[in-house]
Amino acid sequence: MLKNGLLIFRKKGGLCKGTVKSYKKVLRPAFEIAIEDDYIFKNPFQFSLAKIITNDNRKRDALTEEQENSFLDFIKTDKRFCGYYDPIFVLFNTGLRISELCGLTFADIDIKNKVLNVDHQLQRINNIGFHITDTKSKSEERKIPMTDDVCESFLKIMSGRQGQKIEPIVDGKTGFLFLTRRGITTSRRVWEGRFERICREYNKVHTIQMPNVTPHICRHTFCSKMANAGMNPKAPQYLMGRSNIKETLNVYAHTHDVDANSEFRRVEQII
């Protein structure tokens, strides 16, 4: 907040660095316009965020292939969580944002051509309810190719959705693939709660503990798998719906030394 011309960040019960960074991105150009129009003389948001607030963002590491398989096997064989297997498998193998998964409808799944259409998200806004939003940028609007296993998961999901008496409608859209037991659309918080319970129960019965797995970890794991497979960085950038390749390249930069060595040997044969 601004108080007596100073920028004040509330730490306790306040905002994390990522949120403050987003606000700064919006406010800085707004104040630049005010300077150009001679309303003010100095931009209060012309500062380095790292000097003002500590980076409290948690490190989000991708799962290894062994961890992913173990996590999915546990979900698949557990009576409490087996119903979540297919959508979580989809997250691990499409790179979808959780809000994009929540917004999927029957019309978005093209099994014949093995293509997943992504052109909107389903958000839950406090005190307002569910709302359909377009993708934030043109890059987020994409068609994701699906493997046979992903198609099979979607077929199971769609089959399990038959017989719904009342279909929820959000901003004109209906036929959502994922509903709660009460028949309403799911949200990011619903899935985060499910992941938290799964991780907690997994760690109760496994000696080797599973790190905190979230929907975003599934997305990060998908990108890492593409990097380890040697895919051109521009391809996962498109599949992930990112406007800037920087974040994708950061994932590529964290591949293991053995992968870098293999890639060097492959290129060595060409040059």
Side-chain angles (χ1 to χ4, degrees):
M1 71 178 76
L2 280 173
K3 186 176 182 180
N4 297 327
L6 298 175
L7 187 64
I8 307 297
F9 293 110
R10 295 175 59 190
K11 182 67 176 178
K12 187 176 181 180
L15 305 175
C16 66
K17 182 178 179 179
T19 303
V20 175
K21 184 177 181 180
S22 297
Y23 288 163
K24 179 176 177 285
K25 284 183 178 179
V26 175
L27 291 169
R28 178 178 173 179
F31 276 84
E32 289 293 341
I33 294 174
I35 291 174
E36 291 176 4
D37 292 340
D38 294 327
Y39 286 110
I40 59 176
F41 298 103
K42 188 175 181 180
N43 191 339
F45 290 91
Q46 191 77 26
F47 61 86
S48 174
L49 192 60
K51 295 180 180 180
I52 304 297
I53 186 171
T54 303
N55 187 356
D56 58 357
N57 291 335
R58 291 176 296 178
K59 186 178 179 182
R60 295 169 172 175
D61 290 326
L63 299 187
T64 64
E65 181 179 358
E66 182 179 3
Q67 287 175 322
E68 179 185 347
N69 290 336
S70 181
F71 188 69
L72 286 171
D73 286 344
F74 173 74
I75 297 171
K76 192 173 186 177
T77 56
D78 191 284
K79 293 181 179 180
R80 296 162 295 180
F81 307 125
C82 59
Y84 304 144
Y85 174 81
D86 288 304
I88 292 177
F89 180 84
V90 166
L91 286 174
F92 271 117
N93 291 279
T94 60
L96 283 172
R97 297 176 176 86
I98 190 59
S99 56
E100 294 170 341
L101 180 88
C102 293
L104 288 179
T105 68
F106 281 88
D108 299 317
I109 315 300
D110 185 351
I111 296 294
K112 181 179 179 180
N113 295 306
K114 299 181 180 180
V115 171
L116 175 61
N117 181 59
V118 181
D119 61 6
H120 64 275
Q121 304 178 45
L122 179 65
Q123 305 277 5
R124 181 165 188 172
I125 305 173
N126 291 338
N127 302 322
I128 296 177
F130 289 100
H131 180 59
I132 292 290
T133 61
D134 294 331
T135 50
K136 296 178 181 178
S137 64
K138 196 65 179 178
S139 62
E140 293 184 9
E141 185 176 328
R142 60 205 190 276
K143 294 184 181 298
I144 302 175
M146 299 187 292
T147 64
D148 290 338
D149 289 338
V150 171
C151 286
E152 183 179 346
S153 283
F154 271 120
L155 286 172
K156 292 178 182 177
I157 291 167
M158 291 187 287
S159 176
R161 272 284 284 106
Q162 302 300 323
Q164 184 73 21
K165 294 182 179 180
I166 300 177
E167 288 288 346
I169 301 175
V170 181
D171 294 337
K173 282 192 177 292
T174 188
F176 294 97
L177 294 183
F178 305 104
L179 303 178
T180 66
R181 292 179 179 178
R182 294 186 295 163
I184 62 175
T185 50
T186 58
S187 65
R188 173 180 59 84
R189 290 184 179 180
V190 168
W191 283 103
E192 287 178 345
R194 290 171 176 175
F195 271 83
E196 185 178 343
R197 291 194 299 274
I198 292 170
C199 286
R200 184 170 59 246
E201 296 304 317
Y202 177 99
N203 287 331
K204 286 182 179 180
V205 296
H206 289 81
T207 303
I208 301 178
Q209 299 289 280
M210 183 67 62
N212 182 39
V213 184
T214 65
H216 189 82
I217 292 295
C218 297
R219 177 172 160 83
H220 190 50
T221 300
F222 171 77
C223 188
S224 294
K225 288 190 292 186
M226 299 302 100
N228 289 329
M231 183 179 286
N232 185 308
K234 294 296 291 183
Q237 179 192 357
Y238 169 79
L239 295 174
M240 301 285 285
R242 290 170 172 163
S243 58
N244 193 315
I245 199 172
K246 180 179 178 181
E247 192 172 352
T248 303
L249 290 177
N250 284 339
V251 175
Y252 274 67
H254 286 84
T255 54
H256 302 299
D257 292 338
V258 64
D259 298 321
N261 181 65
S262 299
E263 183 66 6
F264 178 82
R265 297 304 174 195
R266 182 184 69 82
V267 174
E268 182 182 32
Q269 301 302 316
I270 300 174
I271 61 177

